[in-house]
Amino acid sequence: MSRLLCKPFGTHGKVHEITPQSAGWRYVGFSLYRLRPGDTAAEATGDREVILVVVEGKAAFAAAGQDWGVLGERMSVFEKTPPHCLYVPNGQDWRAEAQTDCVIAVCSAPGHGAHTVRRIGPEGISLTQRGEGSNTRFINNIAMEAEDWCDSLLVTEVFTPAGNWSSYPSHRHDEDDFPRITYLEETYYHRLKPKDGWAVQRVYTDDGSLDEVMAVRDGEVVLVPRGHHPCGVPYGFEMYYLNVMAGPRRNWRFLAAPEVQHMMPK
């Protein structure tokens, strides 16, 4: 199995825990809780900021000394409604108690104390089309560059219809040379509909020193340390993924792969 493909530990509790140390990089962390009603999850952020994304279900949250009430609405991520999220800066605690079966993603990156705790969405998040033809997909931007809510994190959701490609044309963001390109590590948390479906993701560099193609199943995470990283889903399945990116600066600038340069806007 590819070292870039992370399978869940199980079906209940903390089923993913990706740290900079385990991934062999410097910035992005990602963990995932699958909880039953009454279950709790709680963490201290330490020197990292987090965005808690209620992927599915409902949970009551407390964070940074405040009660945020019950967050979450969609019971299936494929309802494609805007997510309920909570930003918690470094040096704080958070706690969640599941009100229904729920899935909570913990997206993390270095925090610098420049932003305060806040609720993100569902207000202000709207499903937006990107691409055309078999490259069409739909985006819920949670905290991208235009939203000045974080110190380091860039987080978004993507829904890819059956038979389509996503994160395409192939592109990379693996050099710290702003404004030409920025260095951003990235994780993909994948979901498939139906659950026994599958997708493919390729992670490759221009020189071929990294070139891996992975069959991705529901609930798995793909690490993108460098290189281009397109993914596609066969006819008959739908694909969702939650992207987490972070690097030395909070800007998303990328370069297209040489073989797809002719597809890029002039």
Side-chain angles (χ1 to χ4, degrees):
M1 187 180 75
S2 170
R3 64 181 182 84
L4 302 181
L5 183 64
C6 303
K7 294 183 177 293
F9 305 139
T11 59
H12 177 247
K14 196 174 196 178
V15 299
H16 281 289
E17 186 170 22
I18 296 157
T19 67
Q21 292 75 26
S22 68
W25 57 31
R26 292 175 286 168
Y27 297 96
V28 169
F30 180 82
S31 57
L32 190 89
Y33 288 91
R34 300 188 66 93
L35 305 178
R36 302 181 185 121
D39 289 349
T40 61
E43 294 182 4
T45 59
D47 61 356
R48 301 177 67 76
E49 62 179 5
V50 304
I51 291 180
L52 307 171
V53 180
V54 185
V55 178
E56 291 175 330
K58 301 179 181 182
F61 285 85
Q66 299 180 49
D67 181 355
W68 295 89
V70 175
L71 303 182
E73 183 175 4
R74 63 192 185 194
M75 293 296 105
S76 165
V77 71
F78 288 99
E79 293 172 20
K80 301 182 179 69
T81 52
H84 293 220
C85 311
L86 191 64
Y87 171 78
V88 187
N90 55 293
Q92 301 292 337
D93 298 318
W94 65 266
R95 183 179 186 274
E97 181 176 346
Q99 307 297 293
T100 67
D101 288 343
C102 70
V103 178
I104 300 171
V106 185
C107 315
S108 76
H112 309 300
H115 293 82
T116 59
V117 62
R118 66 169 295 151
R119 181 172 172 170
I120 302 174
E123 299 83 4
I125 299 176
S126 58
L127 198 64
T128 304
Q129 180 175 330
R130 184 178 295 169
E132 57 187 20
S134 62
N135 196 37
T136 300
R137 63 272 197 208
F138 300 90
I139 315 295
N140 275 335
N141 277 335
I142 295 170
M144 292 301 285
E145 190 175 340
E147 293 83 36
D148 184 24
W149 298 334
C150 313
D151 300 336
S152 302
L153 280 166
L154 296 163
V155 179
T156 194
E157 294 185 318
V158 181
F159 299 87
T160 307
N164 282 18
W165 285 91
S166 203
S167 289
Y168 189 83
S170 306
H171 62 275
R172 63 183 178 92
H173 37 74
D174 53 11
E175 296 181 58
D176 185 10
D177 188 19
F178 182 78
R180 184 180 72 93
I181 185 174
T182 49
Y183 175 87
L184 295 168
E185 302 155 356
E186 187 168 16
T187 56
Y188 280 67
Y189 166 60
H190 284 278
R191 296 289 301 274
L192 279 300
K193 180 183 178 182
K195 287 182 178 294
D196 60 356
W198 54 272
V200 293
Q201 186 152 23
R202 183 186 182 198
V203 180
Y204 67 103
T205 55
D206 292 334
D207 64 4
S209 60
L210 174 63
D211 195 345
E212 299 194 22
V213 180
M214 291 154 277
V216 183
R217 298 190 179 276
D218 184 72
E220 297 181 341
V221 175
V222 172
L223 309 181
V224 182
R226 65 188 188 280
H228 312 287
H229 39 277
C231 51
V233 61
Y235 179 76
F237 309 138
E238 292 182 60
M239 176 173 62
Y240 160 94
Y241 54 85
L242 174 65
N243 276 145
V244 183
M245 295 185 286
R249 61 180 302 138
R250 193 172 179 266
N251 300 103
W252 181 46
R253 302 290 186 277
F254 59 84
L255 294 178
E259 71 273 14
V260 299
Q261 286 284 355
H262 65 284
M263 303 181 199
M264 303 304 292
K266 301 300 183 182

